Amino acid sequence: MSGVSDLERWKLKRLIKSLEAARGSGTSMISLAIPPKQQISQVVSMLTEEFGTASNIKSRVNRQSVLSAITSAQHRLKLYSRTPPNGLVVYCGTILTDDGKEKLVNIDFEPFKPVSTKLYLCDSRFHLDPLAGLLEDNTKFGFIVIDGKGSLYGQLSGNTRETLHQFSVELPKKHGRGGQSSMRFGRIRLEKRQNYVRKVAEKATQLFITNNAINVTGLILAGSAEFKEELEKSDVFDPRLRSKVIQLVDVAYGGENGFSEAITLSRKYLDNVKVVQEQELVTKFFDEIARNTGKISYGIDDIISALEDGAVETLIVWENLVAWRVEFQDAEGTKTVRFLRSEQEQECVNAVDKVTGAQLEVVSKEPLVDWLAEAYTNFGTSLEIIGDSAPEATAFINGFGGIGGLLRWKREEFDIQESDSEDYFDENDPDDEYAEFF
């Protein structure tokens, strides 16, 4: 990926998602967050006291579960002689699986950012506030897209874009109706434009200033007419927001389309924003298709084959891709690996060897994205895990299944022009979702 922090951030999001769904029987799930300055010995002493208290729980089953979780937490802390520089997060306890069985969970790690919250809770679920706070991105950019038809307020942070507010307006045209003097009509038109700009400015203050402080790193004004210049120069535009304006952008559209165009045209000012990086990456993928270089691959089977050949320079994977890496074993202990899409998951049940017909047992099963996040370096490739906020990313997900690669060289067996796959799309077909990107 573009940096270790990106991969760490994605792994943390996956961990939070899995822990959110976990539920236990009784209060047997321990959530423990230790800030950098807190001593491990203090936490160990606290857990010893909690162990004594838990010994008095009347319910035998609940008592044993709680004592087991506390013991597990104590054992995890013994692995550390001192609190790591960024603190420590520990989750221990017995959870219930989908089939109703009990499973012991023990997780401990030093996060990629300092833990700011001290936490100890024993509950029927894991408490994830300390982890969620680590994912907050303080780099946020505000957008105001304004034209003669209405205004849109948006926000861009990491790989997430959000429309905060939108409203439409009807302004007088440049030429008045019959029966009105040109001067009178001009005054009415000017007054309504000024009122419109005032409304836009006042709403901007409401959205981009919180508790008397600006809540965005920078502000971009976009529009297809001169309204953006009028807004910036207006006396009713909050001076604090004016000081944060980093760019005025001319766009051909208003609304959501104008928002997308403004993000694209502001790239050099937003180089560190994840969604812009994703736009550029997927656009490069589409460019390779448009130029028919043959240096792209997509689909799980083709990607795995290209990875094994060492041909993939950059691997692009949608963060919510539903696919599996499944390891099977036959009666003689011979193991095979299959990569299955969501609609093929049923193959895990009563699986047989495709050649011999022998019954196969599932040894392990894990999400393909998780496996790639750990194994990608073994194939000499870089990994980019993308979201679906950018229109280009959505087209990549819908058109190519959410997994593709930029190749170092053209692979002879894969030619997009000659492929008879149902996944092939015609760039000249206006019905293709991604045709606009060529």
Side-chain angles (χ1 to χ4, degrees):
M1 301 183 74
S2 55
V4 175
S5 62
D6 283 343
L7 183 55
E8 292 290 340
R9 188 179 297 273
W10 176 82
K11 287 182 177 180
L12 185 57
K13 287 172 65 176
R14 296 283 284 194
L15 175 61
I16 290 174
K17 186 176 181 179
S18 64
L19 292 179
E20 276 180 336
R23 290 293 181 270
S25 177
T27 56
S28 60
M29 300 168 70
I30 288 179
S31 305
L32 184 61
I34 307 173
K37 294 183 179 181
Q38 187 176 15
Q39 299 297 320
I40 292 287
S41 58
Q42 295 175 341
V43 182
V44 171
S45 297
M46 180 269 294
L47 288 177
T48 301
E49 293 178 5
E50 289 292 328
F51 190 93
T53 302
S55 300
N56 298 320
I57 296 176
K58 293 182 178 180
S59 169
R60 183 184 63 84
V61 174
N62 193 30
R63 181 176 65 251
Q64 290 179 342
S65 296
V66 174
L67 292 177
S68 175
I70 293 176
T71 301
S72 296
Q74 290 173 324
H75 287 164
R76 308 312 289 186
L77 292 181
K78 287 181 180 179
L79 301 174
Y80 300 86
S81 59
R82 63 176 61 88
T83 305
N86 288 337
L88 184 64
V89 178
V90 180
Y91 290 99
C92 294
T94 302
I95 67 172
L96 297 175
T97 62
D98 292 338
D99 54 2
K101 297 180 180 180
E102 291 188 342
K103 177 182 178 182
L104 185 61
V105 172
N106 289 312
I107 298 172
D108 63 280
F109 64 97
E110 177 190 3
F112 56 84
K113 286 168 58 177
V115 178
S116 59
T117 304
K118 181 169 66 174
L119 174 71
Y120 170 76
L121 283 171
C122 194
D123 201 351
S124 60
R125 64 182 180 88
F126 290 126
H127 290 259
L128 305 170
D129 291 348
L131 298 187
L134 298 174
L135 291 176
E136 292 181 357
D137 191 341
N138 294 326
T139 305
K140 298 178 181 179
F141 291 90
F143 285 76
I144 301 177
V145 183
I146 176 174
D147 62 13
K149 296 181 180 179
S151 294
L152 176 144
Y153 303 81
Q155 181 175 279
L156 182 66
S157 177
N159 67 346
T160 302
R161 55 177 274 178
E162 179 184 5
T163 299
L164 303 175
H165 184 71
Q166 189 173 6
F167 70 90
S168 57
V169 67
E170 290 187 9
L171 297 175
K173 304 296 183 181
K174 289 186 177 181
H175 302 287
R177 298 176 179 174
Q180 288 185 329
S181 68
S182 59
M183 292 183 61
R184 180 172 178 272
F185 176 78
R187 286 195 302 270
I188 294 174
R189 179 173 180 271
L190 179 60
E191 181 179 344
K192 289 192 175 184
R193 286 174 65 94
Q194 290 174 340
N195 290 338
Y196 172 47
V197 171
R198 177 184 296 277
K199 181 179 179 180
V200 173
E202 291 174 349
K203 194 64 182 180
T205 301
Q206 295 175 20
L207 294 172
F208 298 123
I209 295 181
T210 305
N211 296 327
N212 209 34
I214 299 174
N215 57 30
V216 291
T217 303
L219 192 60
I220 292 170
L221 308 183
S224 57
E226 67 277 8
F227 279 106
K228 56 186 179 296
E229 287 85 1
E230 291 185 27
L231 176 63
E232 184 189 30
K233 296 175 182 177
S234 173
D235 293 337
V236 296
F237 190 48
D238 195 299
R240 294 170 293 179
L241 293 180
R242 185 182 296 110
S243 67
K244 288 292 183 179
V245 174
I246 58 176
Q247 178 73 355
L248 273 68
V249 177
D250 289 318
V251 294
Y253 309 97
E256 293 290 347
N257 290 334
F259 188 14
S260 298
E261 188 179 2
I263 293 174
T264 300
L265 295 176
S266 304
R267 281 177 178 171
K268 66 179 180 180
Y269 301 97
L270 309 174
D271 284 341
N272 295 323
V273 179
K274 185 68 173 143
V275 72
V276 175
Q277 297 169 351
E278 292 177 0
Q279 282 181 326
E280 294 176 344
L281 177 66
V282 178
T283 297
K284 184 177 180 181
F285 181 89
F286 289 147
D287 286 345
E288 292 293 331
I289 297 176
R291 294 189 291 115
N292 195 27
T293 63
K295 294 172 65 176
I296 64 103
S297 181
Y298 65 90
I300 294 174
D301 293 339
D302 284 322
I303 283 294
I304 296 300
S305 176
L307 284 171
E308 292 173 346
D309 288 347
V312 181
E313 183 173 19
T314 304
L315 178 61
I316 310 169
V317 183
W318 179 34
E319 61 184 359
N320 293 322
L321 177 69
V322 181
W324 307 91
R325 180 187 185 271
V326 185
E327 187 174 2
F328 296 93
Q329 179 176 283
D330 62 18
E332 298 179 354
T334 303
K335 294 182 179 180
T336 57
V337 173
R338 295 181 188 174
F339 297 92
L340 306 178
R341 296 183 297 274
S342 58
E343 63 271 19
Q344 298 173 308
E345 190 177 354
Q346 189 62 28
E347 292 184 19
C348 294
V349 182
N350 298 322
V352 295
D353 187 282
K354 296 180 179 178
V355 177
T356 65
Q359 192 74 27
L360 298 177
E361 176 188 0
V362 175
V363 177
S364 65
K365 175 185 174 184
E366 65 178 318
L368 177 59
V369 186
D370 291 10
W371 178 75
L372 288 172
E374 296 298 331
Y376 74 97
T377 55
N378 298 335
F379 301 104
T381 185
S382 62
L383 174 64
E384 294 288 347
I385 298 180
I386 66 171
D388 53 11
S389 291
E392 294 86 348
T394 301
F396 172 78
I397 294 163
N398 294 336
F400 297 92
I403 184 168
L406 297 169
L407 306 184
R408 293 185 172 93
W409 59 80
K410 180 178 180 179
R411 300 177 74 230
E412 295 301 325
E413 67 270 27
F414 183 80
D415 190 328
I416 193 169
Q417 292 295 86
E418 297 176 1
S419 173
D420 58 357
S421 168
E422 293 181 0
D423 291 334
Y424 171 65
F425 294 88
D426 183 358
E427 66 186 74
N428 297 315
D429 183 353
D431 292 330
D432 280 353
E433 293 186 63
Y434 62 87
E436 63 180 287
F437 298 109
F438 289 97

